[in-house]
Amino acid sequence: MKKSALLFCFLLLLLTACDGEHSGTSAWLKDQGYPMNYEVRTLLIDGLSPVSVEVGFDSIPRKQAFQGVLGNVSSVNHDLVFDIGFRDSAFFDRFGKADSAASLFALYLDTNFYQQTGFDSLPLNEDLELNFSWILSSGEGKGFIDSVGKIRDSVWLRELLSWDNAESFDTVYSLSIVKLDSAVRLDLPSALTERLTELKDGCRLQLRLSAKNSKRLFRFTGPESLHYPLLRMRVTDTDFKTVVPFRMAIVSSKEESCTDCPVLHGGILDSMVVTLPGKDILKALSGFYGDSFPNPAGDGMDVRQAVVMAQLLMQKDGSVEGSELGFPVQVAVASISYHDEKDDYAQTSEAYKLNPDLVEKSGHPNLVFWPGDTLALQVTSGVRSFVNNAANETEDFRVVLRLGYSVLAPNDTLYYNHVNSDGDSVKIFLNHLTYSRYDFSKSVDNPMRLKLWLASKRGEQ
Amino acid sequence: MKYFGLLLFFAAVSAHAVSLIGTDALGQGNDGARFGNAKTEEGLSMVNPARLAFERKVSFSAVVNYEVAVATKGDDTYASDNVEIPSLAFIFPLGRFGALSVGVWQHYSANMSTSVTDSSNHYSTEVEYRGSLFELTPSYALRLPFLRRVSLGGTVHFVMGANSRRITLGPDKSNLAPEDTWASTDAKITDAADGDWKIKNHPAYYTGSIQYAGRSVEYFFSYTTPYTLRNKLKYDLQFSQLDTLRPSTVTREIEMPATFATGVNFKFMKVHNIMLDVLVRNWDDAVPNIAGGWNLPDETEVQRELSVGGGYQRDGSDLAYESYVNRTSFRLGAWYRSWYIKDVNEFGGSLGVGLPLGIRGTKLDVSIHGGYRTAEKPNWDESFFGVSVGLIGVGNWGQPSRRYR
């Protein structure tokens, strides 16, 4: 027993010794040659003129479940297309015999958007030049409807590009929207109603709405939202059929006169690839480190190749011209990441690190439609990949720019929705797309600068 | 009593597992050549598999080891501690057909984790090493049919294990303009290396030994083949676990020299033993380090490795009707060892008891050990203390093999 007690005491002493202060930890680490930190230094590479600037637009229609836009804004026209399929032989029998058969299509405004932005004060009055076009097909039995449902979205969206064999009708609607939650009722053209009365059992209607000369962009709710659009066919006031589209798409088309101009549009799949000369970047790094770069020797853990932060600085036009909603818009950046295989690239969205002092003073540096003459885009991941994988001087550095979301609180140093010290809710981003247009001519026609924060290796430098 | 020596062996070999010396090279070696390897019926020995031939019972053994090392230089001290299970073994005596054993043995280990944060000096560093070079060691030993006091034994060492090193550094922003400091806030960089162990161009290396077991004197000689260790390392610079640079691969090769070992055990007055062991390994080539870069040395310089250990043991009786104290074994020993790392020399001692549990031979072994290592820069002198707790489980199935002495 005594022996056990002694042993226990000894163990306790040992454990106590281990928990003691390691007064010599840093001295021991230094003696071994361990670094105590890494040194950060900055390098500004001036005079980077883009090798090329390419604007790309993916014109394939986008399926939208909750929100659709209709109209023309920022030199882009947006059509709405609805796919409707149903069968009801008894109803079609009555509808075909009805003297006063009529049909309408109802849409609801996206109240969440209008309330959040306060954009477009009510009432919305406009003589809207509207074009209806449709493709109607019919069939019989359950198999017909099933075959319609089995058409994949991707196939349907590509078919919309051609929009073959469509019938069309132009009209002008006097639109007057007084309340946001009331439906916009569009009476369907009689030609379409007449075609509907000829149906016997199953029907597939693809209905396209276009308002190329609208004064504004209308935002409507989609088929999966609470207030879905609907097709109503009327036999009498008490005998009618209501059908909800099972899918909806936006068909956007650019109407820019200059197709090669460095102009980006928000809300659509519009992007711009800026290519900067890689050899200029590598040359500057060689000068910075004092030897060839990238260094072919070493074991791959050369800290000189570690980019802590990279910022691409370009000139900008600080005006608000082209901003659809009047808010500043963030420029989203993705970088081309390099892989082992030649021509094997991946696009990586860049993270954004906040500079609180700057944001508080002059707002986020990556905003357009915002005062200031410099646009600062963080491209850390891209430069890291470029520097680490640039095996020779033939590679160039490429970034992809897009217009992102509207920023509602550009001077707030928190980057998430929160409640401020006054107890007010602060929303950082508008969670609806903005259909703005920004011309980057000033940015890409002038030399850019690349500012790097580099980790510098100790000891052997 | 029969297994007391086995415990002694484990207690001795596991006595060093937490040193701060040599983490970049192989870590600490656990060769177990200090004392007791010549004593028969004492279980498995990594340097003397021949003594296995004298085993009579199926048994299992496991050891848990806790150790503290305190490095000192002037007024500075730095302590580290660790708990590990360095060895597991099964022994299967086969009567006239000798004996088999299977073990897992931690030949080298390196464990270290420390961090320093000092905002006034812009210090922010975390260093972590985790490394184990394990060996799967099937052994076989056979007493010579025409000379029963002599046995031959061999062990095949299949090398396995992994090692890793992480150096995580915070930024030193002292050279940045005030308006530029934001960019490196919380920007830590981890210099990571991960690797595994293999033998170059061969599946294993081998130990062969010969044992003589007289009535009062036992001794052995053993030879272990040289081999080349391969440590394939993947280097990576990480900004976070998901944000890394393209890793590169480097293979370091470590030339392990041949090992010569010998030992003797002298028994007197039936229960008293005096033991002496010597192990020599001639290192020629420096050991390439995991690290490199920064100001860390690229390789670790080596010296001739020599272990000399001596000890005394009073065997406990295996007769169940004896008093508990008489059935308990006691031992003490001391050793000197020059490490494979240049200018590192170690002096140590141990004290242990083997406590019988039940009548079949199951035992609990408890030992304490401690000592001192002298070293030259960059290493610091170290004192170390440890406690080992081992369990020997004796199989209660089958018949003990007949004693053929």
Side-chain angles (χ1 to χ4, degrees):
Chain A
M1 190 61 207
K2 255 183 191 172
K3 202 179 293 171
S4 304
L6 274 172
L7 186 66
F8 178 76
C9 289
F10 184 77
L11 278 170
L12 204 64
L13 270 173
L14 287 180
L15 287 170
T16 313
C18 299
D19 289 337
E21 183 115 348
H22 295 182
S23 61
T25 307
S26 51
W28 182 82
L29 288 169
K30 279 181 184 171
D31 267 10
Q32 305 297 308
Y34 289 105
M36 303 307 288
N37 50 36
Y38 68 90
E39 186 185 6
V40 189
R41 288 194 281 167
T42 54
L43 171 66
L44 186 65
I45 305 172
D46 274 318
L48 292 173
S49 295
V51 175
S52 66
V53 177
E54 297 168 79
V55 178
F57 169 54
D58 187 348
S59 60
I60 294 173
R62 289 119 42 217
K63 186 187 174 190
Q64 296 285 318
F66 297 98
Q67 192 196 59
V69 290
L70 176 67
N72 193 321
V73 69
S74 305
S75 305
V76 181
N77 180 65
H78 307 275
D79 291 354
L80 272 178
V81 187
F82 301 91
D83 202 359
I84 305 163
F86 65 101
R87 66 183 284 251
D88 189 337
S89 55
F91 175 77
F92 279 127
D93 187 42
R94 297 196 303 279
F95 192 56
K97 293 173 184 170
D99 295 332
S100 55
S103 57
L104 64 89
F105 195 75
L107 291 161
Y108 290 88
L109 287 175
D110 184 354
T111 50
N112 182 275
F113 167 80
Y114 288 97
Q115 284 167 353
Q116 195 177 110
T117 59
F119 183 62
D120 281 343
S121 56
L122 293 176
L124 294 177
N125 294 317
E126 185 173 337
D127 287 333
L128 189 65
E129 292 179 24
L130 200 61
N131 171 266
F132 284 98
S133 59
W134 64 88
I135 299 173
L136 185 65
S137 53
S138 61
E140 290 189 2
K142 185 173 177 291
F144 172 73
I145 293 300
D146 288 346
S147 67
V148 172
K150 285 177 182 170
I151 297 172
R152 291 180 179 275
D153 292 342
S154 57
V155 173
W156 180 61
L157 294 172
R158 278 171 174 74
E159 284 175 355
L160 295 181
L161 286 172
S162 55
W163 198 241
D164 291 333
N165 304 319
E167 296 175 58
S168 154
F169 180 79
D170 291 311
T171 187
V172 177
Y173 273 87
S174 290
L175 211 64
S176 179
I177 300 171
V178 181
K179 286 173 66 182
L180 286 177
D181 57 356
S182 58
V184 175
R185 171 184 159 158
L186 304 173
D187 290 324
L188 293 183
S190 55
L192 174 55
T193 305
E194 200 171 307
R195 288 291 312 279
L196 289 170
T197 59
E198 294 166 3
L199 299 173
K200 299 296 181 195
D201 182 27
C203 151
R204 182 193 182 197
L205 172 64
Q206 297 174 76
L207 181 65
R208 180 169 182 159
L209 305 177
S210 181
K212 289 192 173 179
N213 298 316
S214 67
K215 294 172 185 167
R216 57 171 63 80
L217 195 65
F218 291 95
R219 285 166 164 86
F220 296 110
T221 51
E224 291 179 35
S225 62
L226 196 60
H227 300 290
Y228 39 76
L230 53 91
L231 168 71
R232 181 165 290 176
M233 290 169 290
R234 174 182 170 278
V235 178
T236 65
D237 285 348
T238 54
D239 184 6
F240 54 84
K241 184 165 186 68
T242 301
V243 188
V244 178
F246 65 93
R247 61 188 164 197
M248 179 181 81
I250 301 175
V251 184
S252 300
S253 52
K254 281 167 79 170
E255 296 179 348
E256 290 284 351
S257 54
C258 171
T259 53
D260 295 333
C261 291
V263 174
L264 279 183
H265 301 83
I268 60 174
L269 297 174
D270 205 13
S271 60
M272 185 165 74
V273 179
V274 178
T275 304
L276 296 169
K279 62 180 180 185
D280 289 0
I281 299 172
L282 296 180
K283 189 178 170 188
L285 285 165
S286 295
F288 177 76
Y289 287 116
D291 58 14
S292 65
F293 197 92
N295 193 346
D299 48 18
M301 40 177 259
D302 190 345
V303 182
R304 296 177 311 165
Q305 299 189 178
V307 177
V308 179
M309 167 66 75
Q311 244 186 357
L312 186 62
L313 306 165
M314 56 182 80
Q315 294 186 27
K316 77 167 183 180
D317 178 359
S319 75
V320 296
E321 187 187 339
S323 172
E324 184 209 5
L325 307 174
F327 299 120
V329 173
Q330 195 175 44
V331 177
V333 188
S335 294
I336 305 292
S337 299
Y338 296 78
H339 292 262
D340 290 342
E341 298 296 326
K342 195 74 180 164
D343 298 328
D344 179 16
Y345 301 113
Q347 209 178 106
T348 310
S349 291
E350 287 285 353
Y352 175 63
K353 190 168 190 171
L354 220 64
N355 179 355
D357 294 341
L358 180 72
V359 169
E360 193 169 16
K361 188 177 158 194
S362 52
H364 294 280
N366 58 355
L367 301 179
V368 290
F369 313 120
W370 184 249
D373 55 8
T374 302
L375 186 66
L377 304 176
Q378 292 179 12
V379 290
T380 310
S381 170
V383 179
R384 264 179 205 162
S385 174
F386 170 74
V387 166
N388 192 235
N389 295 283
N392 53 56
E393 294 187 0
T394 60
E395 292 283 2
D396 285 325
F397 174 59
R398 294 185 289 169
V399 290
V400 184
L401 310 186
R402 290 184 62 185
L403 288 187
Y405 281 90
S406 297
V407 178
L408 302 178
N411 289 103
D412 202 295
T413 53
L414 296 178
Y415 207 50
Y416 48 84
N417 296 340
H418 61 278
V419 176
N420 64 18
S421 54
D422 297 332
D424 297 323
S425 295
V426 178
K427 200 169 173 60
I428 302 297
F429 291 105
L430 178 70
N431 52 5
H432 295 269
L433 296 170
T434 175
Y435 293 82
S436 299
R437 175 187 185 276
Y438 186 78
D439 188 344
F440 283 85
S441 294
K442 189 175 180 185
S443 305
V444 300
D445 291 346
N446 292 294
M448 301 179 184
R449 289 173 294 156
L450 185 63
K451 184 166 186 175
L452 303 177
W453 283 255
L454 296 163
S456 295
K457 195 172 187 175
R458 294 292 179 79
E460 294 178 0
Q461 55 179 331
Chain B
M1 184 60 214
K2 298 289 185 289
Y3 303 93
F4 175 78
L6 179 59
L7 290 170
L8 177 67
F9 160 73
F10 281 120
V13 298
S14 61
H16 307 283
V18 72
S19 173
L20 299 165
I21 298 170
T23 46
D24 245 350
L26 280 160
Q28 284 178 275
N30 296 328
D31 273 314
R34 290 170 192 125
F35 53 88
N37 289 295
K39 194 171 187 309
T40 55
E41 299 184 26
E42 299 293 334
L44 181 62
S45 163
M46 281 299 114
V47 292
N48 179 21
R51 80 173 184 187
L52 193 65
F54 298 90
E55 287 301 314
R56 292 200 311 126
K57 287 183 180 176
V58 173
S59 65
F60 160 76
S61 67
V63 177
V64 177
N65 186 51
Y66 172 76
E67 190 172 302
V68 184
V70 182
T72 54
K73 183 186 174 190
D75 293 334
D76 290 325
T77 61
Y78 174 40
S80 70
D81 65 310
N82 193 37
V83 176
E84 59 185 17
I85 302 175
S87 304
L88 298 168
F90 291 91
I91 294 171
F92 305 99
L94 305 172
R96 287 180 183 278
F97 300 103
L100 269 176
S101 80
V102 179
V104 177
W105 177 46
Q106 192 181 36
H107 194 168
Y108 290 96
S109 65
N111 288 290
M112 195 265 283
S113 177
T114 190
S115 64
V116 174
T117 305
D118 180 354
S119 55
S120 60
N121 288 315
H122 303 283
Y123 288 172
S124 173
T125 186
E126 298 165 35
V127 180
E128 182 181 322
Y129 280 87
R130 293 278 178 264
S132 283
L133 197 158
F134 271 99
E135 293 176 4
L136 182 66
T137 55
S139 302
Y140 178 72
L142 181 68
R143 294 171 69 177
L144 297 180
F146 48 88
L147 204 57
R148 302 296 296 166
R149 293 187 186 281
V150 177
S151 70
L152 296 175
T155 298
V156 183
H157 301 256
F158 294 101
V159 170
M160 61 187 81
N163 56 347
S164 70
R165 187 213 58 190
R166 298 275 181 285
I167 301 176
T168 300
L169 302 172
D172 172 7
K173 299 185 263 190
S174 55
N175 289 328
L176 290 178
E179 65 272 18
D180 287 336
T181 55
W182 64 275
S184 58
T185 302
D186 298 328
K188 288 193 171 180
I189 290 178
T190 298
D191 192 346
D194 296 280
D196 58 9
W197 294 103
K198 277 184 182 148
I199 291 183
K200 184 184 179 184
N201 300 333
H202 210 70
Y205 72 96
Y206 310 93
T207 298
S209 72
I210 181 167
Q211 165 91 35
Y212 170 78
R215 290 191 183 280
S216 59
V217 177
E218 298 169 311
Y219 51 85
F220 81 97
F221 296 96
S222 87
Y223 172 76
T224 300
T225 57
Y227 56 101
T228 303
L229 268 177
R230 295 192 72 165
N231 187 202
K232 192 174 181 182
L233 289 159
K234 188 182 84 172
Y235 284 105
D236 198 4
L237 201 61
Q238 303 175 343
F239 302 93
S240 70
Q241 285 194 325
L242 296 176
D243 188 2
T244 70
L245 296 185
R246 189 173 63 180
S248 61
T249 304
V250 174
T251 300
R252 61 173 179 153
E253 295 187 350
I254 301 170
E255 298 296 333
M256 303 291 290
T259 306
F260 299 90
T262 184
V264 62
N265 178 59
F266 176 64
K267 192 170 199 169
F268 60 99
M269 296 170 69
K270 292 187 180 178
V271 293
H272 301 285
N273 299 272
I274 299 287
M275 297 168 276
L276 181 71
D277 276 74
V278 177
L279 178 145
V280 179
R281 193 178 280 147
N282 271 317
W283 289 79
D284 291 324
D285 300 320
V287 178
N289 287 341
I290 296 177
W294 312 106
N295 279 329
L296 292 162
D298 289 332
E299 57 183 28
T300 298
E301 291 186 63
V302 293
Q303 64 182 3
R304 173 180 290 168
E305 189 177 349
L306 171 68
S307 281
V308 180
Y312 162 79
Q313 176 177 317
R314 197 214 74 170
D315 296 342
S317 170
D318 55 359
L319 299 174
Y321 52 77
E322 287 274 14
S323 69
Y324 193 79
V325 171
N326 283 343
R327 286 191 291 135
T328 301
S329 52
F330 300 93
R331 66 181 183 278
L332 58 91
W335 65 81
Y336 161 78
R337 186 182 186 196
S338 58
W339 277 38
Y340 67 98
I341 298 172
K342 193 178 178 186
D343 298 325
V344 178
N345 298 296
E346 174 183 307
F347 305 87
S350 67
L351 196 62
V353 291
L355 306 166
L357 302 174
I359 59 169
R360 289 200 61 85
T362 300
K363 289 208 171 192
L364 183 71
D365 185 274
V366 180
S367 72
I368 56 172
H369 57 268
Y372 195 75
R373 296 180 190 112
T374 60
E376 296 293 324
K377 196 179 176 183
N379 297 309
W380 288 10
D381 292 351
E382 282 181 353
S383 50
F384 59 93
F385 308 95
V387 179
S388 291
V389 178
L391 179 71
I392 299 289
V394 176
N396 60 0
W397 46 271
Q399 294 286 332
S401 61
R402 188 182 160 194
R403 187 187 292 253
Y404 293 97
R405 182 169 284 210

